[in-house]
Amino acid sequence: MDSALNASEPGFLLQGFSEFPRLRPALFLLLLAAHLATVTGNLLILAAVTAAPRRPPMLLFLGQLSAIELGYTLVVMPRALADLATPGPARGRPISRVACAAQMQLFVGMGGAECFLLAAMAYDRYVAICHPLRYPAVVTPALCGRLALACCLGGLAVSLGLVAAVFRLPFCGSRLLVHFFCDVTALLHLACTRGYADELPLLGACLLLLLLPSMFILASYGALAAALRRLRAPGGRHKAASTCASHLAVTFLHYGCATYMYVRPKTAYAPRRDRTLALMYTSITPLLYPLIYSLRNREVTTGLRRALSWWLWSGRS
């Protein structure tokens, strides 16, 4: 990857939203509010996991998911907010190749780790509902730790390979990225190549990060649906289904956005439209995740009350 990131080569220009000077103050306030709410929500969930009297595997996975979401939004939004807050040229602000590659690698790595983690959480729900008696022996804290590490390493490995492949492409002509961060599709749009070979690394990354985990999740929930159909007690069926609702909602949001944005040919890329859609999956959907889990998870709400009680008590003392 070092050869692909020659420091002597020119960097890029991030246009952000510099062509809308009148909208920038309102957009800055809106994104800042969403960013602060996202950071606060994920920090509260991490505090709730820490303050929980017991930490079942699903709660440990939820803590890792919040940590990933926290890093996911911190990779993109601070730079975007800084560009919105300070007046600059209409052509955008410069970013070096190394900084662009680092931002892309962290963004893809965090997103990939989340893809793998959602598959691990689906496995947790499968064992809990289909094999409840074996659950404590199968899904142990040690297994959760190994799965968490594997998710992070898997996302890191795929992101490093993708970034190395993208930055080996020739970039000629305009270096203007009509985007507010170094996204993969925006870089591929600037590449001089016209064939489909330059899209193969992205296709391979989508295969590893989206297709394989989603097939595992579908298989897990297929087995869950069959198990729920065999339950005779409606109350037990409803309770079991409700434990999966939050995970399903987050899975549909994450995989739906990622699939629409990245599983497309290069010719379908529309810079300004995709930049607007990117605002959704980098600022709105991370804001929804803490709300979805905090409203439906009893351990999270209990941990939040304990964390807030401790904070109030320590403040008074």
Side-chain angles (χ1 to χ4, degrees), residues 126-206:
Y126 162 76
V127 178
I129 294 174
C130 296
H131 305 283
L133 298 179
R134 297 174 52 196
Y135 180 77
V138 173
V139 187
T140 61
L143 177 64
C144 293
R146 289 194 294 269
L147 287 175
L149 180 61
C151 292
C152 294
L153 292 178
L156 175 65
V158 175
S159 64
L160 285 174
L162 178 61
V163 170
V166 169
F167 278 84
R168 283 196 176 94
L169 297 175
F171 297 100
C172 52
S174 173
R175 299 250 168 176
L176 179 65
L177 292 172
V178 186
H179 218 301
F180 55 93
F181 72 98
C182 288
D183 200 7
V184 180
T185 53
L187 266 296
L188 287 178
H189 185 68
L190 288 186
C192 299
T193 55
R194 291 293 178 263
Y196 290 100
D198 57 316
E199 298 181 49
L200 291 179
L202 179 58
L203 182 62
C206 290

